[in-house]
Amino acid sequence: MSRNPSPMEHLLFHQSAVRTLDDRKLLISPAGRGLWRSSEEGGWEAFMEGIPSKVHVNRLEPVLGGPIVACTNHGLYSLSSGRWSDMRLPFVCYAYKEIGSIGFAATERGLWCRTQKGWKNIASTENPVYDLFATPHFIFLALPWGIAMYDRLTCAWEQFSLKTSIVRLAAMDGALLGIAESGEIALGDLKGGFDKIRMPGIFAFNAIRLGQSLYFCTDRGLYRAAKIRGQFSLVSVSLGCPVTDADMREGQLHMATLNEGIQTIPWN
């Protein structure tokens, strides 16, 4: 006889994101099963006030000096005073960043900018944008065919066709870095091009910056990016189960995994 799994059993698998709240509680998103928060008793409690039920969270974005923003299949939601508020962008959202006081959202229908008059589409109207990365002079977009760069000084676009979907963007030693849907890493060569890197036996899901270091979430665990004799390399941090996201605070490293829930290890 089959049985329905309990809500707690759903939390053991397929975690897509983890963030540490100001009160040191953990905020997690089991794939397709909303948002949960760690409780005082050591368990988990649903944390869904103001957000649709069974929402799928693609990413939890911490905003500097502001709230956490959930990028979901129902749009964007910001966390404030213990509840979620709809940011009124009714598309699947993959990433959200703020540059100064301006918010930018990567969505299934291009890049959108939040203005005083509401949301405005500003780029890639015919393509989804999976991620964005901003510097003082440039905005980079992760697209189904590669990477696009917008020069904020000249108001001009440049395209880098990589013949694959780029799903995450980050930076390493002054170079732009992208993660392809195939798990490959595309690293800027600082000459206007990209080198594709495939680490043997490793499929990269995500790249995140924790402190001063860049970390890669992969199907074999969590790795730290490093340069060894001038060559890109990955140094193991935690081997074993596939890791999809990580967060660090006050000597604790929290990892969202695909098949072992949330894993926490001491970290100095």
Side-chain angles (χ1 to χ4, degrees), residues 27 35 47-51 60 68-70 77-80 82-86:
L27 175 66
L35 289 149
F47 195 50
M48 297 291 295
E49 186 176 353
I51 203 167
L60 291 171
I68 288 177
V69 173
Y77 291 83
S78 63
L79 178 61
S80 179
R83 75 181 314 275
W84 297 96
S85 298
D86 191 347

Side-chain angles (χ1 to χ4, degrees), residues 244-257:
T244 57
D245 194 18
D247 194 25
M248 183 191 306
R249 184 176 292 192
E250 298 181 1
Q252 298 289 315
L253 177 64
H254 309 287
M255 295 175 290
T257 76

